[in-house]
Amino acid sequence: MAEDSAPPVEQMALASLNDCVSKAEFSDRVLIRTILSRADGGAGLAGQTVKVGGWVKTGREHGKSSFAFLELNDGSCPANLQVIVDAHVAPLVQLVPTGTCVHVEGFLKLPHETAKQRVELKVEKVHHVGPVDPAKYPLPKTRLTLEFLRDIVHFRPRTNTISAVARIRNALAYATHTFFQKHSFLYIHTPIVTTSDCEGAGEMFQVTTLISDAEKVEMEIIKNPPPSEADIEAAKALVKEKGEAVAQLKSAKAGKSEITASVAELNKAKENLSRLEERSKLKPGIPQKDGKIDYSQDFFARQAFLTVSGQLQVETYACAVSSVYTFGPTFRAEHSHTSRHLAEFWMVEPEIAFADLKDDMNCAEAYVKFLCQWLLDNCLDDMEFMAKNFDKGCIDRLRMVASTPFERISYTEAIKLLEEAVKKDKKFENKVEWGIDLASEHERYLTEVLFKKPVIVHDYPKGIKAFYMRLNDDMKTVAAMDVLVPKVGELIGGSQREERYEIIEKRILEMGLPLEPYEWYLDLRRYGTVKHCGFGLGFERMILFATGIDNIRDVIPFPRYPGRADL
């Protein structure tokens, strides 16, 4: 074959003039990104010996099966490293199937002048092969739909699209922490299990051990039936008998050892009676009291849920250490099958003390711009993949948002603009009138058609917003704001929080919520209340906006939605 087994002298000389390739710190290999992300595409590393590991994207034998080309990817970047393996180094039939894992060692060399890649690896030693049966491997080389990949969620990270989404998601998470740490926010871990409903919507997953406890009781009753009344009466009689025996011995001034032995028998009889009485209380089914489920018997001795937001809890820290944020999973038991809804999703929720609605809008705008610029600066290769395969305008959209001042209009102004559009024969599926919650079609019309840039709508009707949002002087609206962006509509929802005790107490009651679970929240207003604000960014929505992917189930590693919770 034409491939030489040793690096040419001129390539060795070229390598000596360039920096040595950096090895991964905690792995016996060089990341493919380290080679291919260089300005010269890795050409300047020609002649260097490296170890790389990854999974074969495509493999093909050449020269009457005397050597093979492998396209190798390790997930560190979207690009593949071309690897050349001679038949005398390893059995080629084991290496070429798509999905095969290999860890190989060899030297980097310049490819033929007509090749697309700038560098390739000539393998001298194969350290590991994780073989694949091509007939059974569920990821063939053909293009697969994202819908199909949801059925093999454990393999989909090996695809170009999902691995690119993973890197973009990672970059946005890193950028989130960078932004808030740069502005002196403290990262607070809020609880997953909560007894408060932040949204007041009631669509929450309940956390309970009552069902499993009831199943255990039923199994126990079948295996070891509870004692009868006769058994308990007999046990009581025995306790009485043993008690009288002890009394007689003491009356007769018997010896200490004899009395001690009799007392031991009495105690044993009492313990047996106690066990029988406890077992007699076992009842099948979930415990009830006054015709309702008795949650005092539950694990937390009260109703508990998976959180829909960390906002209420993180406010306790904002009212003590000023600027804070939480970034974690949230849950919504909403039976929705749309492309915009998940049962488990991630939220970024900052809270700022001594700040009002204007400060809130300023922070939200700066944060979104920072995220967009971060992707342009640090993830451009993956964004180029998205632009090529999903949304041609995604990079231009990021550039526009990163560099354009956001439009700011009141809710009332937004309704007037939408009503004017309707008068000009614009058709909306949802009716436009003051007091409605803006639908996605309204939001996207404002940001994509009318202003052609991000829009912040503020001061919404109090009837469509949560109890904790600050009531404005007009008594009809609250100091709330939503950040609307092209492609997804609402990206951020936030508000200035109601810091006045009497007003927030009244708002809770108006919403039909009980005061008791929110007493701790009211305490923040009773003692040392402070003006503060915050917002929540749906992390997956940010990824949808950035990538141009249509379905939210494809931008989270393990999507949970009605009927599906794989792995």
Side-chain angles (χ1 to χ4, degrees), residues 217-239:
V217 168
E218 288 177 11
M219 292 295 293
E220 177 63 21
I221 288 174
I222 293 170
K223 184 178 178 182
N224 190 6
S228 64
E229 289 187 19
D231 293 332
I232 293 175
E233 289 302 320
K236 287 180 178 179
L238 183 61
V239 169

Side-chain angles (χ1 to χ4, degrees), residues 414-460:
I415 292 295
K416 287 179 181 177
L417 291 171
L418 293 169
E419 287 175 337
E420 289 174 8
V422 171
K423 290 176 183 177
K424 295 176 182 176
D425 295 329
K426 170 63 182 174
K427 302 295 183 185
F428 292 114
E429 290 184 10
N430 299 274
K431 187 178 180 181
V432 176
E433 61 182 0
W434 199 95
I436 65 162
D437 197 359
L438 295 180
S440 179
E441 60 175 340
H442 303 141
E443 295 168 344
R444 294 186 65 174
Y445 178 80
L446 290 170
T447 184
E448 293 175 7
V449 179
L450 211 54
F451 292 104
K452 294 182 174 60
K453 62 178 179 177
V455 179
I456 303 180
V457 179
H458 54 85
D459 296 314
Y460 281 78

Side-chain angles (χ1 to χ4, degrees), residues 251-555:
S251 177
K253 296 183 179 180
K256 183 177 179 181
S257 60
E258 194 175 357
I259 292 174
T260 300
S262 185
V263 168
E265 289 183 6
L266 172 61
N267 289 337
K268 186 177 179 181
K270 286 180 177 180
E271 289 172 5
N272 182 57
L273 173 60
S274 178
R275 281 195 300 269
L276 291 175
E277 287 178 331
E278 191 65 31
R279 284 188 50 74
S280 70
K281 296 176 184 177
L282 292 178
K283 297 287 188 295
I286 293 174
Q288 295 199 345
K289 185 177 182 181
D290 300 328
K292 298 179 180 179
I293 295 174
D294 184 7
Y295 286 106
S296 68
Q297 303 298 311
D298 208 347
F299 188 90
F300 295 107
R302 62 191 301 180
Q303 274 189 289
F305 308 91
L306 295 181
T307 184
V308 297
S309 169
Q311 178 211 313
L312 299 188
Q313 288 84 358
V314 85
E315 278 189 57
T316 65
Y317 276 78
C319 294
V321 295
S322 300
S323 297
V324 297
Y325 72 105
T326 184
F327 179 15
T330 53
F331 307 85
R332 189 72 59 84
E334 189 175 359
H335 284 276
S336 176
H337 292 270
T338 75
S339 62
R340 291 289 183 270
H341 287 88
L342 287 168
E344 178 183 321
F345 51 97
W346 284 63
M347 292 289 293
V348 179
E349 298 175 291
E351 285 289 323
I352 318 167
F354 307 100
D356 59 17
L357 184 63
K358 184 178 179 182
D359 299 312
D360 205 31
M361 292 189 286
N362 290 342
C363 181
E365 179 172 345
Y367 171 47
V368 173
K369 287 182 172 181
F370 185 87
L371 292 181
C372 293
Q373 191 60 52
W374 187 276
L375 288 181
L376 294 170
D377 293 343
N378 299 282
C379 228
L380 190 58
D381 50 358
D382 284 307
M383 288 308 306
E384 287 172 343
F385 173 86
M386 291 297 164
K388 179 181 177 182
N389 293 280
F390 291 96
D391 185 348
K392 292 179 181 178
C394 65
I395 294 176
D396 290 338
R397 191 166 58 244
L398 290 178
R399 289 187 176 128
M400 181 272 290
V401 172
S403 61
T404 306
F406 291 10
E407 189 72 30
R408 299 187 186 188
I409 59 172
S410 71
Y411 170 88
T412 301
E413 290 170 330
I415 292 295
K416 287 179 181 177
L417 291 171
L418 293 169
E419 287 175 337
E420 289 174 8
V422 171
K423 290 176 183 177
K424 295 176 182 176
D425 295 329
K426 170 63 182 174
K427 302 295 183 185
F428 292 114
E429 290 184 10
N430 299 274
K431 187 178 180 181
V432 176
E433 61 182 0
W434 199 95
I436 65 162
D437 197 359
L438 295 180
S440 179
E441 60 175 340
H442 303 141
E443 295 168 344
R444 294 186 65 174
Y445 178 80
L446 290 170
T447 184
E448 293 175 7
V449 179
L450 211 54
F451 292 104
K452 294 182 174 60
K453 62 178 179 177
V455 179
I456 303 180
V457 179
H458 54 85
D459 296 314
Y460 281 78
K462 69 175 184 179
I464 60 172
K465 290 297 182 180
F467 69 87
Y468 51 75
M469 298 187 178
R470 196 180 199 277
L471 189 64
N472 288 328
D473 293 341
D474 62 12
M475 305 302 286
K476 294 192 303 181
T477 61
V478 290
M481 65 92 182
D482 288 341
V483 177
L484 315 180
V485 295
K487 186 72 180 174
V488 300
E490 181 190 337
L491 179 63
I492 283 176
S495 71
Q496 183 175 339
R497 314 311 189 190
E498 183 57 77
E499 84 280 11
R500 297 163 294 185
Y501 172 77
E502 293 81 6
I503 293 177
I504 195 168
E505 181 184 45
K506 184 179 178 182
R507 290 281 289 144
I508 291 173
L509 294 173
E510 283 178 358
M511 299 287 286
L513 298 171
L515 286 174
E516 189 273 329
Y518 299 100
E519 283 298 330
W520 64 270
Y521 192 68
L522 292 170
D523 276 348
L524 299 178
R525 278 73 181 168
R526 288 188 185 103
Y527 311 110
T529 189
V530 64
K531 176 176 66 175
H532 62 290
C533 63
F535 62 81
L537 173 137
F539 196 58
E540 283 74 28
R541 287 199 173 196
M542 181 63 205
I543 303 170
L544 287 178
F545 163 74
T547 62
I549 286 177
D550 289 324
N551 199 307
I552 200 167
R553 298 170 184 177
D554 302 318
V555 297

Side-chain angles (χ1 to χ4, degrees), residues 126-325:
V126 175
H127 294 286
H128 167 77
V129 176
V132 160
D133 182 347
K136 297 179 179 178
Y137 187 56
L139 291 178
K141 286 186 285 187
T142 56
R143 186 179 177 91
L144 303 170
T145 66
L146 294 176
E147 290 83 359
F148 172 80
L149 292 175
R150 289 178 214 138
D151 291 328
I152 46 171
V153 71
H154 57 301
F155 273 132
R156 69 178 190 165
R158 294 190 186 184
T159 64
N160 295 333
T161 298
I162 300 302
S163 60
V165 169
R167 288 185 293 270
I168 291 169
R169 186 183 179 99
N170 172 71
L172 288 170
Y174 189 20
T176 291
H177 288 295
T178 301
F179 176 83
F180 288 111
Q181 294 296 323
K182 174 184 173 184
H183 292 287
S184 301
F185 283 66
L186 289 184
Y187 177 35
I188 306 298
H189 295 152
T190 50
I192 300 296
V193 178
T194 179
T195 55
S196 302
D197 181 359
C198 175
E199 300 297 327
E203 295 171 331
M204 304 177 75
F205 286 103
Q206 191 163 347
V207 177
T208 180
T209 59
L210 289 179
I211 297 173
S212 58
D213 288 347
E215 290 173 346
K216 290 176 185 177
V217 168
E218 288 177 11
M219 292 295 293
E220 177 63 21
I221 288 174
I222 293 170
K223 184 178 178 182
N224 190 6
S228 64
E229 289 187 19
D231 293 332
I232 293 175
E233 289 302 320
K236 287 180 178 179
L238 183 61
V239 169
K240 183 179 179 182
E241 177 187 322
K242 296 297 182 182
E244 291 172 350
V246 171
Q248 288 175 1
L249 288 171
K250 288 181 177 179
S251 177
K253 296 183 179 180
K256 183 177 179 181
S257 60
E258 194 175 357
I259 292 174
T260 300
S262 185
V263 168
E265 289 183 6
L266 172 61
N267 289 337
K268 186 177 179 181
K270 286 180 177 180
E271 289 172 5
N272 182 57
L273 173 60
S274 178
R275 281 195 300 269
L276 291 175
E277 287 178 331
E278 191 65 31
R279 284 188 50 74
S280 70
K281 296 176 184 177
L282 292 178
K283 297 287 188 295
I286 293 174
Q288 295 199 345
K289 185 177 182 181
D290 300 328
K292 298 179 180 179
I293 295 174
D294 184 7
Y295 286 106
S296 68
Q297 303 298 311
D298 208 347
F299 188 90
F300 295 107
R302 62 191 301 180
Q303 274 189 289
F305 308 91
L306 295 181
T307 184
V308 297
S309 169
Q311 178 211 313
L312 299 188
Q313 288 84 358
V314 85
E315 278 189 57
T316 65
Y317 276 78
C319 294
V321 295
S322 300
S323 297
V324 297
Y325 72 105

Side-chain angles (χ1 to χ4, degrees), residues 77-127:
C77 66
N80 302 325
L81 176 65
Q82 180 162 285
V83 172
I84 304 162
V85 188
D86 286 339
H88 69 81
V89 175
L92 302 184
V93 69
Q94 262 196 327
L95 302 178
V96 294
T98 296
T100 300
C101 178
V102 297
H103 185 208
V104 296
E105 183 177 356
F107 60 88
L108 296 168
K109 60 186 286 293
L110 299 176
H112 190 274
E113 291 180 359
T114 59
K116 292 181 180 180
Q117 64 275 8
R118 304 288 299 280
V119 72
E120 59 191 15
L121 179 72
K122 181 66 182 294
V123 174
E124 296 177 304
K125 188 180 296 183
V126 175
H127 294 286

